[in-house]
Amino acid sequence: MNIISATYIGSFVDIEKCPGPDKPEYAFIGRSNVGKSSLINMLANKKGLAKVSGSPGKTQTINYFLINESWNLVDLPGYGFAKVSVQQRKKWEKMIEEYIRKRKNLVCLFVLIDSRHSPQKNDLDFVDQLGEWQIPFTIIFTKTDKNTQSQTAGNIKAFTEKMKSRWEFLPPYFQSSVVKKSGRNEILDLIEEYNIRFGAIA
Ligand SMILES: Nc1nc2c(ncn2[C@@H]2O[C@H](COP(=O)(O)OP(=O)(O)OP(=O)(O)O)[C@@H](O)[C@H]2O)c(=O)[nH]1
Ligand SMILES: [Mg+2]
């Protein structure tokens, strides 16, 4: 799919105030610093569209980006960021939960996992939670440029094995690197397929 236009729409903290549910949307969630905002910029092919930072906790609201005038990419705050107050963290968690569970036009939730690490408890807990809520999702293993291919493959295998021990079916998964510019076509192809299905039922 070609990206012709990508525009920032706005930032929201209240689900009720998010843009109307007439367009399909795709949201990105994962631990703080995993690369959600960077991946959105790579997909949209627009540097600086979503704000990126070397320190975790950069994205603090639900940010909407309209793509090709017809569908939205949604950047969410990360989870597992230790340096915010318990109160603030609770607020983000509630906002994320409401968003994930209530948005009827959330066609696919992408859960980003840092491919540099062995399986992390908060990521496994998060995907288990999605299972309990019955939210379908797709995994993207990010930052694959950071390790050797075999280390990355080992971490991905370890994560999927953990999931297999708790889940009957594995969700689809991709790999990405904004440094190598990899994963973009595969993710956009999936979104295009979903957009067609959304159009068919809308
Ligand atoms: N090497 C490498 N660095 C990356 C990649 N993706 C993101 N980064 C870096 O990781 C850091 C965090 O990126 P962000 O996109 O801001 O991460 P985020 O998940 O949006 O973080 P929060 O908004 O704080 O939750 C930045 O320094 C990025 O440049 C990647 O594929 N490879
Ligand atoms: Mg971010």
Side-chain angles (χ1 to χ4, degrees), residues 5-191:
S5 64
T7 340
Y8 169 70
I9 297 294
S11 301
F12 307 88
V13 288
D14 184 350
I15 311 307
E16 312 298 331
K17 299 212 170 75
C18 286
D22 58 319
K23 295 184 178 65
E25 64 193 39
Y26 303 87
F28 296 77
I29 185 75
R31 268 186 298 131
S32 291
N33 209 243
V34 69
K36 301 174 291 295
S37 304
S38 306
L39 183 67
I40 285 178
N41 291 340
M42 179 172 84
L43 294 175
N45 201 16
K46 202 167 184 180
K47 255 191 190 160
L49 179 68
K51 299 274 181 301
V52 166
S53 167
S55 26
K58 178 70 181 171
T59 310
Q60 309 207 347
T61 49
I62 300 173
N63 301 327
Y64 272 76
F65 305 97
L66 178 64
I67 311 297
N68 291 355
E69 305 287 335
S70 58
W71 53 279
N72 287 309
L73 286 172
V74 180
D75 196 9
L76 297 170
Y79 54 79
F81 176 41
K83 282 188 195 152
V84 287
S85 67
V86 175
Q87 213 182 2
Q88 181 63 260
R89 201 181 320 164
K90 285 244 150 69
K91 238 165 79 181
W92 285 0
E93 280 171 6
K94 188 167 168 277
M95 180 170 79
I96 292 169
E97 176 176 349
E98 284 220 336
Y99 172 82
I100 290 173
R101 299 182 79 177
K102 288 193 179 162
R103 283 302 278 185
K104 296 269 181 284
N105 55 325
L106 172 61
V107 177
C108 180
L109 179 67
F110 289 98
V111 178
L112 275 56
I113 306 286
D114 194 327
S115 73
R116 289 176 299 175
H117 308 302
S118 54
Q120 303 285 300
K121 185 176 182 307
N122 53 5
D123 288 329
L124 292 165
D125 288 347
F126 186 79
V127 295
D128 281 351
Q129 181 70 261
L130 291 176
E132 275 168 35
W133 293 340
Q134 301 192 309
I135 306 287
F137 61 94
T138 293
I139 293 181
I140 302 175
F141 292 96
T142 64
K143 305 192 183 185
T144 57
D145 56 282
K146 286 277 196 176
N147 274 335
T148 63
Q149 263 185 12
S150 69
Q151 282 169 324
T152 300
N155 288 336
I156 292 176
K157 187 160 193 305
F159 194 89
T160 53
E161 289 296 325
K162 285 265 185 205
M163 283 195 72
K164 267 189 211 160
S165 66
R166 307 136 98 111
W167 294 61
E168 205 174 332
F169 302 105
L170 273 187
Y173 60 90
F174 295 101
Q175 300 184 33
S176 74
S177 161
V178 303
V179 172
K180 291 187 296 182
K181 296 205 178 3
S182 63
R184 184 173 186 269
N185 290 342
E186 293 86 338
I187 298 166
L188 286 178
D189 283 352
L190 184 77
I191 291 177

